[in-house]
Amino acid sequence: MPVADAQHVIQKAQEGSHDAFRILVERHMKQAYNLAYGFLLDHDDAEDVAQESFVRAYQSLGSFRVESEFGTWLYRIVHNVALNRLRHEKTKSSRHVSLDHPLADSASGDGNVAEGKEQQMHVERALHELPTLQRSVVILRHLEGLSTRQVSQILGCTEGTVKTHLHRGLKKMKKLLSFIHKDMP
Amino acid sequence: MKAQKHVRDLLYDFHRGELSQDDRRKLEEHLAGCKRCAKAAEEIRVLMQTVPVPQTKPSDALSERYWDAFSYNVMNRVRSEENQHSVRKISFAEYLRSVFLYQRRSLAAISVGLTIVAVVVLTRQFGNVDPPGTDQLAEQQGDIQTPTVQARLDQYFRKSQILMVGLMNMKPENGNGVDLSVEQAVSRELIREARFLSQQNIDERTRVLIANLEKILIELANMEKQYDLPDIEILRAGINQENLLFKLRMGEGSYTAEPLTQDSERNLSQKGESL
């Protein structure tokens, strides 16, 4: 969507147009869901957080400045809502499986699990061993591919801080995932 | 010794292919002549390889139908937040649409189930008519106020039931859509009746059922004259979602039956017989 069109749609949404807001929802819903999923690792939670984020965005549209990037602003809301959800719902066992037992809940004995899928599972677990800020940076910058500038705006820190935490986060993940690579020929 | 900071800051972007062509060329030239920075670049490359970027996103696993329903659900939540205490026609229409889109049930299975319900309802309707005057006699013998409300409730539910069954069994004629003018007239009549009944002293369960029926009736009454299959399907999905036919069937025995007399009912009954 060209910038002028995007700004026009946002302005319409700010004036209360539901049709305009729906365009914004349709444009950003997949990435909002992916972001939420990255933090929550659960479809239902991710869906609910993504939807709630849009509702909050709609309610706060008046405070959004049109010259800013709507996506970045929305992802900041998604990030905050997802972290709040994590703080309040720490009951999902998948988020706390220790890497000491990497196959603990992966249908032990089932040799048909695709290697790529299994590796992805390990990455997700390692990710959730990281401190919150490092995890946020790795998800937003590395896995979702947002720019360093966008991530700094979402997290409210400098670009330098983003780069530092990205490096530290990836190093820690490498260490956590080292058991996989030991098994490799 | 560490790599130069201004170079180190570019290494991640470099490996992601996000540098401009000019910056990339300059960095490659630098790495070719600087062992420290080349070592740091290699370290970053290994780190990125260790934590691979997934080839697919979680959203890729979800169908387009899911995403259609997602946006509808968001808009419904937005509207619901905007006005929690009023029933808004468009909001409910979108709710129905999302239900229909999200819950992809087998129409064949639904049709079989509803045909059975229709047969049972129509059998009762035409096979068990009370003698005329029964209700008038009951009114004379007992309290005047309560039987009148009950009779109207009973009639309201029976009319609604016939209307819903008719909708569920309706088919487009030669692909030209269907004529809903009779159903719309009846639905308007029933909406008026529902508003009267909801002001009476009735139990909560009945009040909820009336409210659920009213949503469908409002939707039907406001439907524009383009009665193609998707529009009907939205109504059907709403009826199905709320289990209205089942609830009507369950509530049927709670009230005294009253013969149907109005013209609109006759029209509906004739339609029901022809199905």
Side-chain angles (χ1 to χ4, degrees):
Chain A
M1 188 188 295
V3 174
D5 287 352
Q7 289 186 346
H8 178 69
V9 170
I10 291 165
Q11 276 176 340
K12 286 286 178 193
Q14 286 179 320
E15 289 164 8
S17 165
H18 285 183
D19 288 340
F21 188 68
R22 176 181 288 162
I23 291 171
L24 295 172
V25 172
E26 288 171 351
R27 180 169 163 73
H28 295 280
M29 60 190 176
K30 290 185 181 177
Q31 190 147 19
Y33 171 86
N34 289 337
L35 268 186
Y37 188 90
F39 286 100
L40 301 161
L41 297 181
D42 178 89
H43 166 72
D44 291 338
D45 283 347
E47 178 185 73
D48 193 47
V49 162
Q51 290 191 359
E52 187 182 335
S53 301
F54 279 112
V55 173
R56 290 194 187 189
Y58 184 82
Q59 290 168 337
S60 308
L61 267 178
S63 66
F64 175 73
R65 288 170 298 141
V66 176
E67 63 271 20
S68 309
E69 197 175 334
F70 180 80
T72 306
W73 181 74
L74 173 72
Y75 304 148
R76 182 170 188 159
I77 295 174
V78 175
H79 175 257
N80 292 339
V81 175
L83 286 190
N84 279 337
R85 178 68 59 98
L86 274 179
R87 286 189 198 109
H88 288 99
E89 293 180 18
K90 292 190 172 179
T91 56
K92 302 269 182 183
S93 59
S94 61
R95 291 174 196 153
H96 301 282
V97 175
S98 166
L99 285 175
D100 295 338
H101 306 285
L103 298 177
D105 67 345
S106 64
S108 56
D110 181 0
N112 295 326
V113 178
E115 189 181 318
K117 199 172 177 181
E118 191 170 313
Q119 188 180 12
Q120 181 59 31
M121 184 181 70
H122 294 316
V123 168
E124 287 176 351
R125 285 173 174 171
L127 193 57
H128 283 263
E129 296 289 317
L130 298 181
T132 305
L133 187 56
Q134 283 180 20
R135 183 175 60 206
S136 296
V137 170
V138 172
I139 290 173
L140 295 167
R141 177 71 181 106
H142 187 64
L143 299 181
E144 289 303 318
L146 300 181
S147 70
T148 304
R149 184 183 57 81
Q150 278 183 304
V151 177
S152 71
Q153 288 173 349
I154 289 170
L155 300 178
C157 60
T158 64
E159 293 187 27
T161 303
V162 171
K163 289 174 180 175
T164 302
H165 283 285
L166 177 64
H167 193 253
R168 287 179 188 166
L170 290 177
K171 270 181 94 166
K172 187 166 183 183
M173 285 185 76
K174 184 189 173 196
K175 193 175 173 184
L176 289 165
L177 292 167
S178 59
F179 69 90
I180 298 177
H181 300 284
K182 277 179 190 168
D183 296 340
M184 286 183 176
Chain B
M1 289 181 73
K2 287 188 174 180
Q4 295 170 40
K5 188 178 181 312
H6 71 281
V7 175
R8 200 172 64 230
D9 282 350
L10 295 174
L11 292 176
Y12 181 85
D13 294 351
F14 170 72
H15 285 300
R16 278 195 80 111
E18 293 176 358
L19 289 183
S20 67
Q21 218 169 8
D22 192 40
D23 286 345
R24 183 177 185 84
R25 185 183 51 77
K26 285 179 185 169
L27 184 61
E28 282 171 341
E29 285 173 6
H30 177 78
L31 293 178
C34 176
K35 285 185 180 176
R36 281 175 297 163
C37 291
K39 190 179 172 188
E42 177 60 12
E43 187 191 351
I44 296 279
R45 191 190 66 76
V46 171
L47 277 182
M48 292 173 74
Q49 202 174 32
T50 308
V51 186
V53 177
Q55 295 301 306
T56 58
K57 302 281 186 187
S59 58
D60 296 341
L62 302 166
S63 67
E64 284 308 308
R65 186 177 289 269
Y66 170 85
W67 290 112
D68 286 343
F70 183 97
S71 60
Y72 283 124
N73 289 336
V74 169
M75 296 314 296
N76 282 338
R77 282 176 74 161
V78 164
R79 289 192 178 94
S80 173
E81 289 288 326
E82 271 189 335
N83 194 354
Q84 285 185 347
H85 300 293
S86 69
V87 178
R88 295 183 59 168
K89 180 185 72 174
I90 183 110
S91 167
F92 187 65
E94 297 205 347
Y95 163 74
L96 290 174
R97 201 167 283 124
S98 70
V99 166
F100 177 68
L101 289 168
Y102 189 91
Q103 298 184 358
R104 190 178 185 180
R105 298 176 182 180
S106 164
L107 284 178
I110 293 171
S111 300
V112 170
L114 291 172
T115 304
I116 293 168
V117 173
V119 168
V120 171
V121 169
L122 290 174
T123 302
R124 289 180 66 97
Q125 178 64 34
F126 298 112
N128 188 25
V129 178
D130 293 331
T134 305
D135 294 302
Q136 287 88 336
L137 186 61
E139 279 181 22
Q140 288 164 10
Q141 288 172 346
D143 176 46
I144 299 298
Q145 180 64 22
T146 307
T148 302
V149 172
Q150 283 191 343
R152 288 181 72 161
L153 265 176
D154 179 63
Q155 193 173 41
Y156 170 77
F157 284 142
R158 289 178 65 186
K159 282 184 184 180
S160 301
Q161 195 174 31
I162 294 170
L163 185 65
M164 303 289 155
V165 170
L167 282 173
M168 298 305 280
N169 288 289
M170 196 164 279
K171 292 174 186 170
E173 295 163 4
N174 302 323
N176 294 326
V178 290
D179 180 8
L180 288 179
S181 54
V182 174
E183 285 79 0
Q184 288 189 303
V186 173
S187 68
R188 281 190 280 273
E189 180 189 322
L190 289 172
I191 291 165
R192 283 194 292 274
E193 186 68 0
R195 285 172 185 168
F196 164 77
L197 291 169
S198 59
Q199 291 170 358
Q200 306 306 310
N201 185 23
I202 54 177
D203 68 81
E204 190 56 29
R205 184 178 59 91
T206 306
R207 194 181 299 282
V208 170
L209 181 53
I210 289 174
N212 288 338
L213 278 169
E214 195 179 2
K215 291 177 189 172
I216 299 288
L217 294 170
I218 290 172
E219 186 62 27
L220 173 60
N222 287 301
M223 194 173 271
E224 292 178 9
K225 291 194 172 180
Q226 295 170 348
Y227 311 126
D228 58 1
L229 196 58
D231 286 331
I232 304 293
E233 292 295 358
I234 290 165
L235 282 174
R236 287 174 178 167
I239 294 167
N240 201 41
Q241 175 72 10
E242 299 288 347
N243 278 329
L244 288 178
L245 287 173
F246 176 74
K247 289 173 184 169
L248 284 168
R249 180 94 174 88
M250 293 301 290
E252 196 177 21
S254 306
Y255 302 99
T256 307
E258 185 173 285
L260 301 175
T261 55
Q262 297 189 12
D263 291 345
S264 55
E265 287 179 79
R266 274 200 296 275
N267 287 334
L268 281 172
S269 299
Q270 283 164 4
K271 278 200 168 190
E273 281 176 315
S274 67
L275 290 168

